[in-house]
Amino acid sequence: MASDPLIYASYAAIAAVWTASQFILIPYVVHLLVLVMAILYVACHGSLMLREELPKEGEEGYDPDAVGVETLKKEDAMQFPIMGSMSLFGLYLAFKFLGQDFVNLLIGGYFAAVGCGALTLTIAPLLEPVVPKSLTENKLGFKKKVSHPLPEWILPKDLELGITFSSLDLISFLAASAIVAMYFQKKYWALNNVLGICFCLQGIERLSLGTYKIGAILLVGLFFYDIFWVFGTDVMVTVAKNLDGPIKLLFPRSLVPNEETGKIELSLLGLGDIVIPGFFLALLLRFDATNAKMPTNKVNIFEPFPKPYFYSAMIAYFLGLATTLFVMIQFQAAQPALLYLVPACLGSSFLCAVMRGEVSELLAYSE
């Protein structure tokens, strides 16, 4: 069966750039563009699994504990910039009044837990093809119902507590824990990127925007959010520089430490500038898959099909990100990346629909 070689190439690019950049100084603009585009290509294709229909009760492979697709609601999309602003300003005040070290200590515990989860979910599928089947087939864990004192109109059912995992999941978790421990011990920029890459992959692969319209609402709201907090205040830049956690990808400008600080110079890109447009790009890829009438019973993410909306938006994203970097370098000032990425993604997808005569289909698309 034919497969999409760009998926394999993207995996290889992520691994090659991450490894080589620790020994060879890659121009940070090239490093950033190659890594981000590869992450998006892999993550968006991973999100094709959201199209897979879960077996119903009585059908082969039915799992009563299977979790359905997590879909963003219209109300959530509209509230996202407000909630994001509250969180961002809250962090800014925390840094100002509680101190950088204390805030980073508290947030570090959160990132340690979330990082272990994201790494485990990334490592396990990579190991699955090369390990014995017994490591994936034999399940361990427990499940227990716990009664609660709340009235039925608040919580009608007993709480179900439990966890189920395979031996491979356990091995992956132990490996993930070791990587997270190394990161928090050394705070090495390349280990930061391992966590950041996993956050991007798992985030984009697992959340559906639901409809094109909801995606547009989210992007437009965050477009103004980004402009206000970057151009209107010093809040965004202050939090990004002070928050010592894997909320950004780091790109070395030099491999030689600065004589005064003892640290190498690094440029950064916030994960939000990858993940938020990534949700939208993934939605467009799934729209392409629906147009191509790709099967939903057994989804193969490597199977090729026409991807006009996805490719046009990917090219536009690349141009938008390149424009962000050009303006930033030209004016030596921080730029809100979504200022350029949102018009690029929305404009390219809508123009593609106009050119193909599919505007009504795109606006009506729902997952």
Side-chain angles (χ1 to χ4, degrees):
M1 183 183 289
S3 59
D4 185 348
L6 287 177
I7 301 178
Y8 297 105
S10 296
Y11 274 115
I14 292 171
V17 169
W18 182 84
T19 303
S21 60
Q22 298 174 65
F23 307 101
I24 304 168
L25 181 60
I26 303 173
Y28 78 92
V29 171
V30 175
H31 186 178
L32 188 153
L33 290 172
V34 171
L35 184 60
V36 170
M37 297 308 294
I39 290 170
L40 283 172
Y41 201 88
V42 168
C44 290
H45 281 80
S47 81
L48 288 172
M49 294 304 299
L50 296 177
R51 299 183 66 249
E52 189 163 274
E53 295 178 355
L54 297 175
K56 298 177 181 178
E57 189 171 0
E59 296 180 348
E60 185 181 352
Y62 170 70
D63 182 2
D65 298 322
V67 180
V69 176
E70 188 174 350
T71 305
L72 192 72
K73 297 178 182 177
K74 181 180 177 181
E75 294 77 14
D76 297 331
M78 296 176 72
Q79 294 171 6
F80 204 93
I82 299 171
M83 300 304 295
S85 295
M86 292 172 63
S87 300
L88 182 67
F89 192 61
L91 278 173
Y92 176 78
L93 293 177
F95 279 122
K96 189 171 182 179
F97 295 108
L98 299 179
Q100 182 179 354
D101 293 339
F102 180 70
V103 175
N104 281 322
L105 179 65
L106 292 178
I107 293 177
Y110 169 77
F111 279 124
V114 177
C116 281
L119 271 169
T120 301
L121 292 170
T122 304
I123 293 171
L126 295 177
L127 293 180
E128 189 171 352
V130 297
V131 299
K133 284 188 176 180
S134 59
L135 292 180
T136 59
E137 291 175 350
N138 299 327
K139 299 289 184 179
L140 308 169
F142 70 94
K143 183 185 291 186
K144 185 177 181 181
K145 285 190 176 183
V146 179
S147 59
H148 59 82
L150 297 174
E152 285 191 14
W153 60 273
I154 295 179
L155 200 60
K157 297 181 180 179
D158 289 337
L159 295 174
E160 285 192 2
L161 302 178
I163 184 171
T164 304
F165 57 90
S166 65
S167 299
L168 177 59
D169 294 329
L170 181 59
I171 293 170
S172 301
F173 176 76
L174 293 174
S177 300
I179 293 171
V180 170
M182 287 173 60
Y183 165 70
F184 280 102
Q185 182 181 12
K186 298 184 177 181
K187 291 296 175 77
Y188 184 42
W189 67 267
L191 291 176
N192 170 92
N193 285 2
V194 170
L195 291 171
I197 290 167
C198 291
F199 287 150
C200 290
L201 294 177
Q202 297 305 320
I204 295 170
E205 288 178 8
R206 293 173 185 278
L207 179 69
S208 166
L209 293 179
T211 70
Y212 181 84
K213 292 178 181 178
I214 291 175
I217 290 170
L218 179 67
L219 288 183
V220 170
L222 291 175
F223 171 82
F224 291 107
Y225 159 91
D226 217 22
I227 292 173
F228 174 76
W229 289 113
V230 173
F231 284 151
T233 71
D234 67 338
V235 171
M236 180 81 79
V237 175
T238 300
V239 170
K241 288 182 176 179
N242 284 290
L243 187 56
D244 190 11
I247 61 162
K248 56 206 172 193
L249 294 182
L250 300 173
F251 307 93
R253 288 171 172 261
S254 170
L255 296 180
V256 180
N258 185 288
E259 292 182 1
E260 295 180 4
T261 63
K263 298 179 180 179
I264 63 173
E265 274 190 73
L266 297 165
S267 289
L268 63 89
L269 180 69
L271 298 188
D273 297 326
I274 305 171
V275 174
I276 298 300
F279 291 146
F280 190 74
L281 293 171
L283 179 84
L284 294 175
L285 179 61
R286 296 193 296 274
F287 177 63
D288 282 328
T290 300
N291 281 349
K293 294 181 171 55
M294 300 300 289
T296 57
N297 55 341
K298 291 185 179 180
V299 173
N300 177 9
I301 67 171
F302 296 95
E303 189 173 352
F305 57 88
K307 306 166 185 175
Y309 289 92
F310 176 67
Y311 283 142
S312 62
M314 278 286 283
I315 292 169
Y317 179 94
F318 176 86
L319 295 175
L321 189 56
T323 303
T324 305
L325 295 171
F326 173 78
V327 175
M328 182 185 72
I329 294 169
Q330 189 73 16
F331 293 98
Q332 292 295 304
Q335 295 294 309
L338 295 181
L339 171 65
Y340 308 95
L341 297 177
V342 169
C345 293
L346 287 176
S348 63
S349 58
F350 193 77
L351 180 61
C352 184
V354 171
M355 297 292 290
R356 293 172 59 84
E358 297 174 343
V359 174
S360 58
E361 289 88 342
L362 179 64
L363 294 178
Y365 178 65
S366 178
E367 296 181 328

